[in-house]
Amino acid sequence: MMAFGPIHSINDNMIGNKCMPEDTDCDFNDNQSKQFRWGPNHVGAKQLAQLYTNGKRYQEIICIIIASILILVDFLYLIYYFDASKWCSIVLAAFCGIISADFLSGFVHWMADTWGTVEMTIVGKAFIRPFREHHIDPTAITRHDFIETNGDNFMAIIPGLIYLFYFFRSNDYKIIYLNYNWICYLYLLAIFVAMTNQIHQLSHIYGPLPVWIICLQDMHIILPRKHHRIHHISPHETYFCITTGWLNFPLEKLHFWSTLEVIVEVMTGCKPRSDDLKWAQKGLHSNIDSNSLNIDEQKVIPSH
Ligand SMILES: [Zn+2]
Ligand SMILES: [Zn+2]
């Protein structure tokens, strides 16, 4: 982690560029980035795309169906017990839900990027693979349909929604009324978690988008495009939050992720992002003399 250098080495002109480095009309001056072909033709990206199986697809479809039913049923319960006099605390619950979802998106993203490996049993191919693919072919997400984009996030919210359903079914009106703010918080947190990767996908689309989505991005109510580009500068060591991105700047100022990485590295001896780097370098030897590129030089390569 420390070997990669600070995020301040990012070229702001690169971040501000309206296209991705792998786009053919992209005008990057860095010689290595021209040699190092990112995107769908990257050797690692091709291998990772082939690991998306029918079984994984079925899992995503089933999770989306179950989560959607639970979202609807829990929403009907929330409406049934709704008390208009509590609107102020409901707004506060919504705000806390957004903040919590943003943090959770960052934490899960950080875990997968930094410590996960595609070789992990079951979890690797099913849930780490999309993170690896996304770094070496970041526009792949723009070609994913609703199911592939949102299946895993819908799966993640199912336990929380089942808990809420159980809570509504097993408690009387008085208990539910007393806990209504907490219930609203959990429900809205689940909704924002479910929306996270859709918002993330939108931050990668530079083609036509509905005006209202561009307004939400420009007002930084959802993850803005330029903001998310900071994460996509190799070695992908910061700006992990992808719901709203509100926590990215303060967490960076607090050295939150880098401090966590030092702690984990000292305790386990594991090197952060070693699997991510391994996949990024696949096919590298056929393009560049392997001795001409060391890890320190990697930090200047714009991966996306
Ligand atoms: Zn990432
Ligand atoms: Zn991204």
Side-chain angles (χ1 to χ4, degrees), residues 74-133:
D74 286 344
F75 179 71
L76 293 175
Y77 274 114
L78 279 172
I79 294 294
Y80 181 77
Y81 291 105
F82 178 71
D83 179 356
S85 68
K86 289 193 168 190
W87 70 269
C88 195
S89 53
I90 292 171
V91 170
L92 183 64
F95 180 76
C96 292
I98 292 174
I99 293 285
S100 302
D102 200 39
F103 179 78
L104 283 176
S105 75
F107 189 77
V108 172
H109 186 178
W110 172 77
M111 286 287 290
D113 276 8
T114 313
W115 308 110
T117 73
V118 178
E119 284 73 37
M120 284 175 158
T121 307
I122 302 176
V123 174
K125 286 191 178 66
F127 303 109
I128 305 297
R129 181 200 67 82
F131 290 89
R132 294 294 169 277
E133 180 187 42

Side-chain angles (χ1 to χ4, degrees), residues 14-259:
M14 187 170 69
I15 297 169
N17 200 309
K18 286 287 184 182
C19 60
M20 293 294 189
E22 66 273 19
D23 294 341
T24 52
D25 60 345
C26 208
D27 181 24
F28 285 94
N29 295 321
D30 189 291
N31 289 330
Q32 283 181 322
S33 72
K34 289 173 181 170
Q35 285 180 283
F36 202 93
R37 179 69 188 174
W38 300 94
N41 293 324
H42 186 286
V43 172
K46 287 179 180 174
Q47 293 176 5
L48 288 163
Q50 288 170 356
L51 293 176
Y52 183 63
T53 62
N54 285 337
K56 171 66 177 162
R57 179 101 178 151
Y58 293 141
Q59 171 248 307
E60 292 169 347
I61 292 170
I62 291 167
C63 288
I64 287 174
I65 292 171
I66 294 172
S68 299
I69 292 170
L70 286 166
I71 286 171
L72 178 62
V73 171
D74 286 344
F75 179 71
L76 293 175
Y77 274 114
L78 279 172
I79 294 294
Y80 181 77
Y81 291 105
F82 178 71
D83 179 356
S85 68
K86 289 193 168 190
W87 70 269
C88 195
S89 53
I90 292 171
V91 170
L92 183 64
F95 180 76
C96 292
I98 292 174
I99 293 285
S100 302
D102 200 39
F103 179 78
L104 283 176
S105 75
F107 189 77
V108 172
H109 186 178
W110 172 77
M111 286 287 290
D113 276 8
T114 313
W115 308 110
T117 73
V118 178
E119 284 73 37
M120 284 175 158
T121 307
I122 302 176
V123 174
K125 286 191 178 66
F127 303 109
I128 305 297
R129 181 200 67 82
F131 290 89
R132 294 294 169 277
E133 180 187 42
H134 187 53
H135 281 184
I136 52 185
D137 183 11
T139 57
I141 193 173
T142 65
R143 299 186 291 277
H144 294 169
D145 62 7
F146 181 86
I147 292 167
E148 188 172 358
T149 302
N150 298 293
D152 289 344
N153 286 59
F154 274 64
M155 183 191 74
I157 66 172
I158 289 174
L161 293 171
I162 289 175
Y163 167 77
L164 286 181
F165 177 70
Y166 173 77
F167 191 87
F168 282 124
R169 295 292 300 170
S170 60
N171 289 290
D172 60 22
Y173 177 84
K174 191 175 178 184
I175 299 290
I176 292 170
Y177 186 79
L178 286 172
N179 289 279
Y180 194 78
N181 294 343
W182 172 243
I183 294 168
C184 280
Y185 164 75
L186 285 180
Y187 182 79
L188 292 168
L189 170 60
I191 297 297
F192 294 127
V193 168
M195 292 167 60
T196 290
N197 212 33
Q198 188 62 64
I199 292 171
H200 175 213
Q201 184 197 56
L202 292 170
S203 79
H204 280 277
I205 296 175
Y206 284 84
L209 278 175
V211 173
W212 65 274
I213 288 175
I214 293 174
C215 284
L216 289 175
Q217 290 176 330
D218 289 347
M219 293 165 71
H220 204 150
I221 292 172
I222 61 173
L223 186 69
R225 289 173 290 188
K226 185 177 176 182
H227 178 96
H228 183 53
R229 295 182 72 85
I230 295 172
H231 174 70
H232 278 285
I233 303 298
S234 183
H236 314 94
E237 62 182 352
T238 190
Y239 277 47
F240 293 98
C241 302
I242 52 173
T243 307
T244 61
W246 293 349
L247 295 178
N248 282 324
F249 183 75
L251 290 177
E252 179 62 18
K253 282 291 165 192
L254 292 168
H255 303 285
F256 181 79
W257 304 117
S258 56
T259 303

